[in-house]
Amino acid sequence: MAMNITHSRACLGRFQCNRTPLRHASTSTTQVKIPPESPRFIDIPHAPQQQAYRKPYVKGVLPLPREIFGRKDPNKTTPEYLAAVTPEPTVKKHHTSPQVKALADWKSRQAAIRRQNLREGLVELHQRKVRADRRRAAISSAKQAEHERKIHEPEREDERLTNSSILNALIPGSHQHLPDPGRQERIAQMKARFEAKEAAKQAERRNALHSLYMNARTFIVTEEELNKKVDEVFDNPWYQANPEHSIWDKEGFPSMMQSMLLDAVQARSGAVNEVTKQRAKRLAEELTGGKMD
């Protein structure tokens, strides 16, 4: 009897379920480990946020693609151009060794594949460029048409009703210009002033050209004239004859204050004569119509 009871208890313990913890009567969760000063003390539901995926950083800079079909380049899809850039082999070599012949055949097949890929690649790239240009032109034309339509479309009724009141006389383009009775006279005066200024400029330009012509007689234009002027300035015979003397012996000492004042007084007395000479010179230039020395 004792054996049966022990065996039944063992069997009962084998099929016995684990005990679950006791549940409280309240439906709110217990947060014993979270202090009251924590922001998580009160459970507030959060809205679901989208996950922001960052693009992986790739080192380096990609080179700019080459412009295969430029504006000044020839048409690269013609049979003549393709035949010129992918010429066929002109000399066919004969090999006696089987291994060398197999290697040469393999190389020729690879070269043929490269020529075919180049031809097909140029044609397909040109077709892709044409499609891209057409798509770009269609988008640009549509944008321009939409822009023109929006510019010239009439004003909407809601905008007209909600706009501020403006008198028709103040709207630009809705009235004529104010009368100006003296406009033609002012235009004639402005034209006369402009013609007078242009004539004065032309006379001044002609006078400057004539002065240049008169002063051109002393210009150094040849190498002989330059050598002559250099010899005249630097090879003075007086310095060669008197090498022990200085420039002060020939030109004299610098002017002192008394001599400068004396020269100024003498210049005042001779200023009248100088003014008379200048007036006579200008009168002669006016009579002759040109500059005079």
Side-chain angles (χ1 to χ4, degrees), residues 40-225:
R40 297 176 178 271
F41 185 75
I42 299 177
D43 189 8
I44 300 176
H46 297 279
Q49 297 181 358
Q50 297 181 356
Q51 186 68 20
Y53 296 98
R54 297 183 60 184
K55 294 183 179 180
Y57 177 75
V58 181
K59 291 185 178 181
V61 179
L62 291 177
L64 294 177
R66 293 179 56 187
E67 187 177 3
I68 303 176
F69 305 100
R71 294 183 178 180
K72 298 182 180 180
D73 295 342
N75 189 4
K76 298 183 179 180
T77 58
T78 58
E80 294 79 7
Y81 183 84
L82 295 177
V85 296
T86 57
E88 297 291 340
T90 57
V91 180
K92 189 174 182 181
K93 298 181 180 180
H94 298 278
H95 304 280
T96 57
S97 176
Q99 297 179 354
V100 177
K101 183 179 180 182
L103 180 60
D105 294 342
W106 178 78
K107 288 184 177 180
S108 62
R109 289 194 301 271
Q110 295 297 322
I113 291 173
R114 288 194 296 270
R115 287 193 294 270
Q116 182 181 0
N117 291 341
L118 180 57
R119 295 168 185 167
E120 295 178 355
L122 286 175
V123 174
E124 292 181 1
L125 285 176
H126 186 264
Q127 294 176 358
R128 185 190 304 175
K129 180 179 181 299
V130 170
R131 290 195 300 268
D133 292 344
R134 290 178 181 175
R135 189 186 313 109
R136 192 181 303 109
I139 294 174
S140 178
S141 301
K143 287 184 178 180
Q144 291 180 3
E146 182 68 16
H147 180 69
E148 293 293 333
R149 185 187 65 80
K150 290 183 177 180
I151 288 178
H152 297 92
E153 68 179 0
E155 187 179 12
R156 295 188 309 182
E157 188 65 17
D158 57 343
E159 293 181 355
R160 187 185 68 83
L161 296 175
T162 55
N163 282 340
S164 58
S165 300
I166 301 176
L167 298 177
N168 293 331
L170 300 179
I171 299 177
S174 61
H175 56 83
Q176 300 294 331
H177 294 285
L178 296 176
D180 190 2
R183 183 170 181 271
Q184 298 299 332
E185 290 77 3
R186 285 188 288 102
I187 291 177
Q189 294 176 4
M190 293 169 61
K191 184 178 179 181
R193 287 197 300 268
F194 175 76
E195 291 177 353
K197 288 183 179 179
E198 290 296 324
K201 289 181 181 179
Q202 187 175 4
E204 185 178 359
R205 192 180 301 111
R206 191 185 302 111
N207 190 12
L209 183 61
H210 192 270
S211 301
L212 178 62
Y213 173 74
M214 295 295 295
N215 296 328
R217 293 179 295 179
T218 59
F219 290 171
I220 299 175
V221 295
T222 61
E223 187 175 357
E224 291 77 9
E225 295 177 356

